[in-house]
Amino acid sequence: MAQSLVIVESPAKAKTIEKFLGPGYKVLASYGHVRALPSKQGSVDIEHNFSPLYHVLPESRKHIELLKKEAKKSRELILATDPDREGEAIAWHLLEALDIPEDAAKPEVKRVTFHEITKGAVREAISHPGHISRELVDAQQARSILDYLVGFNLSPFLWKKIRYGLSAGRVQSVALRLICEREKDIQSFEAREYWTIEAQLDADKGSVFQARLHAVDGNKLGKFDIGDEAQAQELAKAIGSESFQVRNLKKSSKKRNPSAPFTTSTLQQEASRKLGFSARKTMTVAQKLYEGIDVGKGLEGLITYMRTDSVALSQVATTEARELITRMYGEDYALDKPRIFKNKAKNAQEAHEAVRPTSLANLPEQIKPHLSSDQFKLYRLIWQRTIASQMAPAILDATTVDIAAGERFLFRASGQVVRFPGFMKLYIEDIDNAEEQDSQQEGTLPDLKQDQSLDCRELLPSQHFTQPPPRYTEASLVKTLEEHGIGRPSTYASIINTLVTRKYVRLEKRAFYTEDVGMVVNDLLVNHFNKYVDYDFTAQMEEDLDAISRGEREWQPVLKDFWEPFISLLKQKETQISKQDVTTEKTDRTCPECSKPLVIKLGRAGRFLACSGFPDCRYTEPLNGEREEPVMSDQTCDKCGAPMLIKQGRYGKFLACSAYPDCKNIQPLVKPKALGIACPKCGEGELMEKKSRYGKIFYSCNRYPKCKFALWDQPIEQPCPKCNFPLVVEKTTKRQGTFRKCPQEDCDWTEVLIPPEPKTKATTKKTTPKKTATKKTAAAKPAEKKTTAKKGATKKAAPKKSVAKKPAAKKTSAKKSSKSDDKG
């Protein structure tokens, strides 16, 4: 009997599922998307009702050919792509690329979905197949076309009006707006001074606690009512002579419930706060946990599908959680019936469960030896959050004490004590707001009684200043996007990555800072395309796409409603806006060299001040801070004899002739170091140790550009024992230790001087499964060496090119499996 062909998205998942299904089933991978809109103009036929002109991705052609051959031999074709809109669209694209109708008799086409890769879940899905949801396909298709229309029309507009290589996106640009507006709030913020007065009070038996001045003459103090030091000291002086007594005691008990199980968004937020993971890293590690890891029982998925808006848990999961909680913590920590959560996110799609372990019996510490460090950390976080969500609430005893200081002044102290930890015994969610985090920290107060007298040890007037709003972190940005209903949580990682790689923003200590080009792009979009970067408009577009997925709206009218006003506005702005309007800003300063007005311009390194008389006057200075004045050096110009000045340039300090512009001689501040080794190529020059503009050391002939011999590795004046080349080079790497080799491309002589450090047992264990990858690397090594040596012998900058090519190849493969709703 002909076999059944099952198609999934990733080869790792295929390997796991094939073991579950056994004989009669062949499981192959599509390797992500197989068809897409070409990255060029004209990929959507707008005149013919927005018809998309898809093509098979070049890197997918060989996979499609293999799948076609297997499909011809198969009785049934089972499409088991991911259980979301994008997975549904991939299933449809697969049928189109394979040229197989969905109602074909052979192979018979079936669509199955499962939310966890376990034997039971996979077999259950196979036994209950369905059909491709055309509504979900249309919703995903509309999103792709919408993002294409924005990206491939607005991005070229930015190239013309700002500079080439910039991009705009339907959701990306709104995320940029959030960051830029926060930056403007920070820049315009004016700190305001205020004071507080704390009293160090002593109850019986030396129990010291603090209370804050709360009211004066019966009037509650506002934040800024004590505005300066003079007021604070005057109040402190008046309070100092008063006696302190407990006037009112209020005790209450309150419950604190745990957070809901993870959705895609909350998983990204909490992994950022607790683990320091980027959104992209979180999704990459979660993908591996979902696809399957061998923890001693064969390959199996450790978590459910990680792209979800749902906070629901299945009955199986809650039952398992209750049994585990009772066994580990006792009956008091378990619930009588499962806790049910409601989703607060806008536009939430709750088709399946929250992110949870497929089996809660897989305790993190037990399976730790089978996981990498990052996998263990993320799995433990998911496991703890899931278990905690079904644990008893924490019970806290809160106490508020009002303390009278004479007749005029009232102090207040608050504290809380955890009477029963409940879920807090296992897990407490982190909070972005530092003040809110501090307010939840538990504190204690001594056992006080009504009318009890207290001794005041010290009065502490303290100065404070209001703080600007905090910069967005990945966690707080993701949270804000979700609250506004902007984009999909599964796309946040790619959106954030685009903003950073385009250099619109940068991440420093996990916070977003805007770059000048990002601010200029945002200002242009907000000032001229405000509707399309509006938070409510973007959220409404998500609601329209959701309506398509529910079958409530047709996708072409939605696109038409968006496109016609958008392209009309774009054409209007093409003629109204000039590049100078966007990238040049007038100032009230004049040029110190020619007295013409200075303007602020946008350059490759950011904004700077420049003379409006360019190119006749080339005066520039940094926008922020004073221009560093040139310093006279002790050297003279080797061309005209004038003193040389030390100046600050784009790549650091350098020597420039003081006779400029008559003499334009410049020299590096740190002279190249002569090595005393004759150049092996020309025989006339000498090799020098130099530093590239990026600070990397290299070695080249001092007769450059006449002789272009260059090396990245330290040359040693020792002839090669094998080919007699006049010198060899010395290099140190982690894998090979310190060794010498011949720089000639056709000579493979090497000599190890210091062997690499031996690998630890833990390292060896982790790297064992990657033998195949190691072999590939080793096999590719001679070719890499050959390219580097050849380039080094002909051109100084060439070694940099061969190094830069490698990441590009990785980027292509990564792109295939990424989930993005933003083009450009």
Side-chain angles (χ1 to χ4, degrees):
M1 185 175 68
Q3 66 179 358
S4 298
L5 175 63
V6 181
I7 303 179
V8 295
E9 290 178 50
S10 80
K13 196 192 300 184
K15 189 176 178 183
T16 308
I17 292 171
E18 192 163 76
K19 286 190 175 182
F20 294 156
L21 296 177
Y25 290 90
K26 184 156 190 175
V27 186
L28 295 176
S30 70
Y31 289 82
H33 289 271
V34 294
R35 293 203 314 167
L37 294 169
S39 295
K40 62 181 182 181
Q41 291 289 353
S43 294
V44 174
D45 190 348
I46 296 164
E47 301 300 322
H48 292 85
N49 214 9
F50 300 94
S51 297
L53 307 176
Y54 295 115
H55 76 156
V56 175
L57 296 167
E59 60 268 26
S60 296
R61 286 171 189 159
K62 61 180 181 181
H63 304 308
I64 291 295
E65 289 305 312
L66 174 62
L67 293 172
K68 277 184 178 179
K69 288 179 184 177
E70 293 297 332
K72 285 179 182 177
K73 299 185 290 185
S74 302
R75 174 177 54 83
E76 60 180 8
L77 173 62
I78 301 172
L79 302 168
T81 49
D82 287 344
D84 56 14
R85 290 182 195 174
E86 196 157 0
E88 206 73 20
I90 290 173
W92 176 74
H93 280 297
L94 272 166
L95 286 184
E96 295 291 314
L98 296 171
D99 197 22
I100 298 174
E102 192 176 354
D103 57 358
K106 187 176 182 299
E108 184 184 356
V109 178
K110 297 178 180 179
R111 168 75 171 127
V112 302
T113 58
F114 36 81
H115 303 110
E116 58 184 70
I117 303 178
T118 57
K119 193 171 186 177
V122 171
R123 288 190 168 181
E124 175 70 15
I126 293 291
S127 63
H128 295 89
H131 300 283
I132 293 174
S133 168
R134 189 66 212 201
E135 290 81 7
L136 292 180
V137 172
D138 286 347
Q140 184 61 30
Q141 190 167 229
R143 180 186 296 278
S144 298
I145 295 171
L146 193 59
D147 292 334
Y148 170 87
L149 293 175
V150 174
F152 282 88
N153 287 280
L154 204 48
S155 295
F157 177 80
L158 297 182
W159 301 350
K160 295 174 190 174
K161 306 305 178 185
I162 301 177
R163 70 168 181 236
Y164 182 79
L166 301 178
S167 73
R170 186 178 60 88
V171 180
Q172 166 198 321
S173 299
V174 181
L176 176 63
R177 179 178 183 176
L178 280 168
I179 297 171
C180 289
E181 288 186 346
R182 178 61 57 87
E183 187 68 31
K184 288 179 179 178
D185 289 343
I186 293 169
Q187 290 174 359
S188 61
F189 180 81
E190 293 183 8
R192 187 172 173 186
E193 181 183 11
Y194 67 98
W195 286 71
T196 58
I197 298 176
E198 305 274 353
Q200 286 269 20
L201 300 174
D202 192 355
D204 293 339
K205 302 176 185 177
S207 299
V208 179
F209 65 99
Q210 273 195 349
R212 176 173 291 187
L213 182 61
H214 179 69
V216 177
D217 296 326
N219 298 315
K220 182 181 174 182
L221 287 175
K223 186 172 185 175
F224 301 105
D225 284 353
I226 308 176
D228 53 40
E229 186 176 9
Q231 277 183 278
Q233 294 296 348
E234 184 180 346
L235 283 168
K237 186 177 179 181
I239 296 167
S241 59
E242 303 288 356
S243 58
F244 287 73
Q245 186 179 45
V246 175
R247 175 176 290 179
N248 187 37
L249 269 169
K250 184 181 177 183
K251 293 185 178 181
S252 61
S253 180
K254 61 180 181 179
K255 290 183 179 181
R256 184 174 166 190
N257 286 314
S259 302
F262 281 131
T263 62
T264 303
S265 168
T266 55
L267 177 62
Q268 291 174 2
Q269 293 172 46
E270 194 72 343
S272 174
R273 299 185 196 112
K274 284 190 182 292
L275 307 179
F277 285 8
S278 66
R280 176 167 287 243
K281 182 175 181 178
T282 298
M283 297 306 286
T284 301
V285 177
Q287 180 82 29
K288 183 60 183 169
L289 292 173
Y290 166 69
E291 288 179 349
I293 293 173
D294 187 352
V295 294
K297 311 168 193 174
L299 284 171
E300 64 175 324
L302 296 182
I303 64 169
T304 54
Y305 193 53
M306 63 284 161
R307 292 184 176 91
T308 175
D309 294 338
S310 175
V311 290
L313 293 176
S314 67
Q315 186 178 347
V316 172
T318 55
T319 301
E320 190 180 8
R322 191 187 191 289
E323 292 171 356
L324 195 61
I325 293 164
T326 304
R327 188 170 73 249
M328 294 180 69
Y329 300 102
E331 194 71 35
D332 291 343
Y333 286 86
L335 298 171
D336 293 332
K337 58 181 181 179
R339 182 181 283 110
I340 297 171
F341 295 88
K342 290 185 179 179
N343 204 319
K344 299 176 183 177
K346 202 173 180 181
N347 297 331
Q349 298 170 26
E350 303 186 73
H352 39 87
E353 280 191 85
V355 185
R356 63 163 177 87
T358 54
S359 172
L360 293 170
N362 284 325
L363 304 182
E365 296 300 332
Q366 288 179 358
I367 65 172
K368 183 177 181 179
H370 304 280
L371 306 179
S372 70
S373 174
D374 289 340
Q375 289 168 356
F376 168 71
K377 288 175 184 175
L378 192 65
Y379 178 80
R380 181 177 59 184
L381 190 68
I382 295 168
W383 185 90
Q384 288 177 336
R385 177 87 162 215
T386 306
I387 293 289
S389 73
Q390 295 302 311
M391 291 178 74
I395 300 175
L396 300 96
D397 288 334
T399 304
T400 302
V401 186
D402 286 342
I403 300 158
E407 295 297 322
R408 295 184 58 206
F409 305 104
L410 184 71
F411 283 75
R412 177 168 287 179
S414 299
Q416 62 182 22
V417 178
V418 177
R419 177 152 50 97
F420 174 68
F423 74 92
M424 293 171 64
K425 191 177 184 73
L426 176 66
Y427 176 89
I428 302 174
E429 183 182 39
D430 279 3
I431 298 170
D432 292 315
N433 189 319
E435 288 184 11
E436 191 177 344
Q437 183 89 5
D438 290 342
S439 69
Q440 291 195 7
Q441 297 300 317
E442 62 215 49
T444 58
L445 290 173
D447 187 18
L448 301 172
K449 295 181 178 60
Q450 186 75 32
D451 300 326
Q452 181 179 343
S453 295
L454 303 170
D455 292 330
C456 180
R457 286 192 174 185
E458 190 177 5
L459 283 173
L460 304 169
S462 300
Q463 182 186 38
H464 308 274
F465 291 94
T466 52
Q467 297 298 309
R471 285 186 167 84
Y472 281 111
T473 61
E474 282 205 37
S476 59
L477 181 62
V478 166
K479 184 178 180 181
T480 304
L481 288 169
E482 186 181 38
E483 286 173 348
H484 282 292
I486 296 168
R488 303 296 320 135
S490 59
T491 65
Y492 293 157
S494 61
I495 290 167
I496 290 168
N497 185 61
T498 300
L499 293 178
V500 175
T501 54
R502 294 288 180 184
K503 297 187 177 177
Y504 289 169
V505 301
R506 68 183 187 278
L507 268 170
E508 283 184 15
K509 296 180 181 177
R510 296 168 61 186
F512 287 108
Y513 290 76
T514 55
E515 299 285 14
D516 288 339
V517 66
M519 196 67 83
V520 171
V521 168
N522 178 68
D523 287 346
L524 172 61
L525 295 177
V526 170
N527 292 336
H528 300 283
F529 298 91
N530 186 60
K531 174 183 175 181
Y532 299 100
V533 289
D534 177 72
Y535 306 136
D536 293 336
F537 176 83
T538 310
Q540 181 59 49
M541 285 304 307
E542 292 298 336
E543 290 182 7
D544 291 342
L545 293 170
D546 288 346
I548 295 169
S549 72
R550 295 190 297 267
E552 297 168 4
R553 293 198 66 178
E554 294 293 324
W555 65 275
Q556 288 98 338
V558 170
L559 292 177
K560 186 178 180 182
D561 291 346
F562 172 86
W563 172 252
E564 289 180 351
F566 172 75
I567 195 62
S568 174
L569 178 63
L570 188 64
K571 288 177 180 177
Q572 178 187 335
K573 296 299 180 181
E574 287 270 10
T575 56
Q576 288 181 352
I577 304 170
S578 69
K579 185 172 183 177
Q580 188 172 356
D581 293 337
V582 179
T583 60
T584 305
E585 182 183 333
K586 293 179 180 179
T587 72
D588 55 2
R589 290 185 55 194
T590 56
C591 176
E593 293 186 0
C594 71
S595 299
K596 289 184 178 178
L598 285 178
V599 293
I600 299 171
K601 287 193 172 185
L602 179 68
R604 284 284 171 186
R607 301 206 305 165
F608 64 98
L609 282 166
C611 181
S612 58
F614 179 86
D616 297 328
C617 178
R618 295 176 177 267
Y619 178 82
T620 62
E621 68 174 76
L623 183 59
N624 299 319
E626 294 293 322
R627 184 183 180 89
E628 189 173 336
E629 291 297 322
V631 178
M632 193 71 71
S633 74
D634 57 358
Q635 299 185 46
T636 56
C637 177
D638 56 5
K639 290 186 177 179
C640 71
M644 296 289 277
L645 298 172
I646 301 173
K647 288 188 173 183
Q648 179 72 37
R650 182 176 176 183
Y651 301 108
K653 294 184 177 181
F654 65 98
L655 290 170
C657 184
S658 60
Y660 179 86
D662 297 326
C663 178
K664 297 181 180 179
N665 183 27
I666 60 171
Q667 296 290 335
L669 184 62
V670 179
K671 298 287 185 182
K673 177 182 172 184
L675 300 180
I677 301 174
C679 175
K681 185 177 181 183
C682 67
E684 298 177 29
E686 181 183 5
L687 293 187
M688 311 286 285
E689 180 184 297
K690 297 181 181 179
K691 190 176 283 189
S692 73
R693 65 172 59 176
Y694 301 108
K696 188 174 180 181
I697 299 293
F698 71 99
Y699 308 90
S700 68
C701 182
N702 64 352
R703 294 182 65 245
Y704 178 84
K706 291 182 180 179
C707 176
K708 296 182 179 179
F709 180 81
L711 297 166
W712 284 121
D713 303 321
Q714 169 89 44
I716 305 294
E717 196 171 14
Q718 168 193 320
C720 173
K722 187 171 182 179
C723 69
N724 290 321
F725 190 70
L727 56 82
V728 295
V729 294
E730 189 170 300
K731 190 173 184 178
T732 301
T733 66
K734 285 185 178 179
R735 179 176 291 178
Q736 295 170 280
T738 302
F739 63 98
R740 288 182 180 178
K741 65 176 184 177
C742 180
Q744 288 284 79
E745 62 182 53
D746 54 355
C747 180
D748 59 358
W749 177 84
T750 60
E751 178 187 21
V752 177
L753 302 178
I754 303 173
E757 291 184 9
K759 294 179 181 178
T760 62
K761 288 183 180 179
T763 309
T764 307
K765 191 168 188 178
K766 283 182 186 177
T767 55
T768 302
K770 298 184 181 178
K771 282 183 179 176
T772 306
T774 310
K775 285 179 183 174
K776 284 183 182 177
T777 309
K781 202 154 192 177
E784 180 186 326
K785 175 184 170 185
K786 185 174 179 179
T787 306
T788 307
K790 186 176 180 181
K791 298 285 183 182
T794 55
K795 193 173 181 181
K796 274 201 294 185
K800 202 176 296 174
K801 287 185 180 177
S802 61
V803 172
K805 281 182 181 176
K806 279 197 161 187
K810 288 182 181 177
K811 191 173 181 182
T812 306
S813 60
K815 186 178 177 183
K816 282 171 65 180
S817 60
S818 66
K819 305 244 175 187
S820 170
D821 78 342
D822 245 358
K823 302 286 180 186

